[in-house]
Amino acid sequence: MSTSPSPYRAALLAVGAAVALALSSCAPGDDDEAPPAAAGAAATGTTTGTTSTDTASEAGPAIRRYVALGDSFAALGPTGAPTSGPAGCLRSSLNYPSVLAGQLDVAEFVDVTCGGARTVDMTAPQIAQTPPQFGALTADTDLVTLSIGGNDIGFGAIAGCVVQTPRATDGAPCRERLSAGVSSSLEGLGARLDAVHAGIRERSPAARVVVTAYMPLVPPDGGCDFLDRVSPGDVAWTRDVTDRVNSAVTDAAVRAGAEIVVPDDAGERHACAPADERYTDFTGAETGSHPMHPTAAGQRAMAAAVADRL
């Protein structure tokens, strides 16, 4: 396995560095190598049985095979937690799929989530010598969770631009620089998501599919110290982009007959909330999470929201 960072890990580190520069301080630990893979983890995906099967009825577990698909909002967890799979994926043992699998009556859990994943990575290798995520789907898979779409519209580029660009009182420098490409990607996102759902249905026709929406980083109005360093026009633009991505994700799920889930209180637990209440974080410094991603509390909340739906 290569010891050089993957393009996604390099981008995440760049965002983290930009956040640190914006605050003139560094979040501890974010530049370290990924923690060692969890013992027994598969090389390309986390495959486990869960202890809940010990108390399963004689009829067998309620869920035979659970496959988790998706990007960093599903893959990443606390920075100090063990990871599995390719180092560049940063696939955490405490991401929401892993937390969920530990709560359910599951015979087999397969986690192939990977930071930086796009819709194309469902059917093509994202990392050399690593199968596409759809390689984990089987005819007997009966539960699939999916988090995908944000990287198709350039979430990393947006985050990097917003935190690195000097604040402008008027205008929106990042919107002016990136909106044409983002808008074009958003226009095609629905069709790409439809193809993902069709691919899941083709490979796992009996699976229940639960799609997880993106929890917001930016509050619906107002701000906080971090956002005071960002151009107000770009803050408004990021709100709009997040809403449009979630609309595309939700509409595709509805068209496919899948279910869409987000914690009920996610809108109140954005990255401007008190540190112990955040489901997402700008820097991760106070929550031990990766910059611009869910916190440990956010991953637990998403797992609980999916469990409640099931």
Side-chain angles (χ1 to χ4, degrees):
M1 182 180 298
S2 172
T3 57
S4 61
S6 70
Y8 172 72
R9 179 168 171 76
L12 183 61
L13 292 176
V15 170
V19 168
L21 288 172
L23 296 179
S24 298
S25 63
C26 293
D30 282 355
D31 288 336
D32 295 341
E33 284 299 309
T44 57
T46 305
T47 306
T48 65
T50 67
T51 55
S52 60
T53 57
D54 294 340
T55 56
S57 68
E58 292 182 1
I63 298 171
R64 291 171 297 175
R65 182 178 171 90
Y66 163 30
V67 175
L69 307 172
D71 56 21
S72 58
F73 263 57
L76 272 58
T79 55
T83 61
S84 66
C89 286
L90 296 175
R91 185 185 303 137
S92 177
S93 60
L94 292 178
N95 58 20
Y96 87 75
S98 295
V99 174
L100 176 65
Q103 298 173 348
L104 300 178
D105 181 11
V106 181
E108 185 179 16
F109 165 52
V110 183
D111 185 358
V112 291
T113 59
C114 188
R118 299 173 298 159
T119 53
V120 69
D121 299 315
M122 301 299 103
T123 55
Q126 179 181 352
I127 296 174
Q129 299 179 338
T130 300
Q133 292 195 26
F134 274 3
L137 295 175
T138 57
D140 64 344
T141 297
D142 47 2
L143 175 63
V144 173
T145 56
L146 174 68
S147 169
I148 205 71
N151 292 314
D152 283 59
I153 61 93
F155 168 79
I158 294 170
C161 181
V162 166
V163 299
Q164 292 181 75
T165 302
R167 186 180 190 275
T169 303
D170 298 318
C174 292
R175 182 191 65 204
E176 293 162 10
R177 189 181 314 165
L178 302 174
S179 63
V182 170
S183 295
S184 177
S185 296
L186 278 165
E187 288 175 4
L189 182 57
R192 293 192 292 274
L193 292 169
D194 287 344
V196 169
H197 283 286
I200 294 171
R201 189 59 57 213
E202 177 184 353
R203 293 163 176 81
S204 301
R208 186 172 182 179
V209 180
V210 179
V211 177
T212 53
Y214 291 96
M215 296 184 290
L217 281 155
V218 178
D221 50 54
C224 54
D225 288 346
F226 183 89
L227 293 182
D228 288 343
R229 300 173 173 88
V230 177
S231 302
D234 283 334
V235 174
W237 181 57
T238 57
R239 287 191 186 103
D240 178 64
V241 169
T242 301
D243 289 345
R244 292 175 68 187
V245 170
N246 275 335
S247 291
V249 167
T250 298
D251 291 347
V254 170
R255 287 192 297 270
E259 299 166 79
I260 185 79
V261 170
V262 68
D264 290 339
D265 56 350
E268 306 164 11
R269 294 178 177 266
H270 44 73
C272 280
D276 60 351
E277 298 178 9
R278 292 175 197 157
Y279 285 171
T280 58
D281 202 353
F282 294 123
T283 71
E286 296 178 283
T287 57
S289 54
H290 292 278
M292 306 292 177
H293 280 83
T295 63
Q299 295 288 23
R300 291 193 300 269
M302 187 65 82
V306 176
D308 286 347
R309 178 63 60 89
L310 297 175

